[in-house]
Amino acid sequence: MPRRRSVLLLALAVLLAGGARAEAREDDAHRFAIIGHGFTDGGDKHLKQALADNDDGAVAFLVVTGIKGANEPCTDKLYQKRRDLIDEARRPVVVLPSGSDWTECRNTAGRSNAIERLNRIRELFYGEPDSLGARKLSLTRQSMSPRFRSYAENAHWSVGKVLYATINMPANNNHYLNEAGRNSEYEDRLVANRFWLNRLFAIARRDKLEAVVLFSEGDVKALSQPTGLQALLRDAAPDNDGFAEPRRLILSLAQKFHGKVLLVDGTRVRGRPAIEWRGNVGHLAAGADALEVVVDPAAKTLFKVDPRKVETAKPARGQ
């Protein structure tokens, strides 16, 4: 009888332990929203509506790609207006810089002031350790490292067993300039991003996380990277490919990581957004749309775009 009782107690303990694990995994389930560049292109009204549409309690956080359209002015007034608008959202909002926010900006003399405008955006949108929005999300910014004080736009945070991070890689070829002697901004940012990527994957491996999600405006084309003999050919990547180094680094780090690596960018695509996979590396082209991604560690598919929560942005006037 005592033996039977012990067996029953052991079975009950195993059952409860299993239930606790299942409950913990269920608690890790969440969703995040992406508001693509099409809504910042469309002005305040479209952006405000997109924020409201994706601002329900089921969303852990929102990522907004860019703060202004290519045809809008690069003024402090516009920057501040967009910051105030985004900060009104009820959910935490992380702003991802896009190329149209700063790379093509010019002063009154017609000369590029891209770096000055990028620094101003950093002051307005990334001057605090937390996210924007009424409900704050604690972020770890790269600027906390003394060597990379300027790169506050690169931030990471975790939800459950997933590490999320932004990385400044604009869509216009990562702001690589063909003119000789004018690539200092690109080269310095390349060094910062290299450090950032290595740091992110070191955290993911150390904490035995299930996935890393990287948000950038530009598509590094990780799924298009040649493999095998083709990868050894000299012309596999053009010399002016601004994404060549981060692409190789991401793929190398992903090979050493046992979890999933999801790359989310602002590539404009036709048709419904969907996640494509090659090995453990996935790619989601969010484009100009607003969408929500369901993250469920207990499901067979860890990441899934919710087809009911995809909103297509209307083209901005003049485009």
Side-chain angles (χ1 to χ4, degrees), residues 173-250:
N173 199 29
N174 207 8
H175 198 221
Y176 177 93
L177 302 175
N178 289 312
E179 296 88 345
R182 293 184 57 193
N183 266 323
S184 59
E185 187 283 325
Y186 163 81
E187 291 166 358
D188 291 345
R189 185 163 41 80
L190 208 61
V191 173
N193 286 348
R194 186 188 308 136
F195 174 89
W196 188 237
L197 287 167
N198 278 296
R199 174 64 179 154
L200 294 173
F201 279 89
I203 293 171
R205 290 192 301 269
R206 180 197 68 194
D207 296 344
K208 296 180 172 59
L209 299 181
E210 296 186 7
V212 174
V213 180
L214 297 175
F215 298 97
S216 66
E217 191 211 3
D219 176 10
V220 300
K221 294 181 170 49
L223 302 192
S224 302
Q225 175 74 11
T227 58
L229 180 61
Q230 190 177 1
L232 300 176
L233 297 177
R234 187 173 182 178
D235 60 349
D239 292 338
N240 62 349
D241 182 352
F243 294 113
E245 180 175 327
R247 177 171 60 250
R248 285 192 290 264
L249 180 57
I250 289 170

Side-chain angles (χ1 to χ4, degrees), residues 2 44 50 55 59 62 70 107 121 151 158 211 219 232 236 244 260-261:
D44 295 344
D55 209 6
V59 174
L62 296 85
N107 58 24
I121 289 170
Y151 297 90
S158 295
D219 176 10
L232 300 176
K260 299 287 187 181
V261 179

Side-chain angles (χ1 to χ4, degrees), residues 70 79 162:
Y79 291 161
V162 179

Side-chain angles (χ1 to χ4, degrees), residues 8-30:
L8 289 173
L9 289 173
L10 179 61
L12 180 61
V14 170
L15 181 63
L16 290 174
R21 285 195 297 271
E23 184 178 351
R25 290 179 67 84
E26 187 176 341
D27 288 344
D28 286 345
H30 60 280

Side-chain angles (χ1 to χ4, degrees), residues 74-75 105-113 116-117:
C74 303
T75 61
C105 294
R106 297 187 177 277
N107 58 24
T108 54
R111 296 174 181 170
S112 173
N113 64 344
E116 187 276 331
R117 289 290 80 190

Side-chain angles (χ1 to χ4, degrees), residues 49-125:
Q49 187 60 52
L51 287 167
D53 291 344
N54 294 277
D55 209 6
D56 59 85
V59 174
F61 60 87
L62 296 85
V63 174
V64 175
T65 305
I67 58 174
K68 77 173 197 68
N71 297 325
E72 293 183 300
C74 303
T75 61
D76 282 5
K77 182 179 179 180
L78 181 74
Y79 291 161
Q80 184 66 57
K81 190 175 182 181
R82 294 289 160 82
R83 187 197 188 282
D84 293 342
L85 191 157
I86 292 170
D87 208 22
E88 291 175 358
R90 290 176 298 173
R91 311 300 295 171
V93 181
V94 179
V95 177
L96 174 69
S98 68
S100 65
D101 296 339
W102 60 281
T103 60
E104 301 302 321
C105 294
R106 297 187 177 277
N107 58 24
T108 54
R111 296 174 181 170
S112 173
N113 64 344
I115 297 176
E116 187 276 331
R117 289 290 80 190
L118 175 58
N119 288 334
R120 183 58 178 145
I121 289 170
R122 285 166 169 163
E123 292 173 359
L124 284 173
F125 286 85

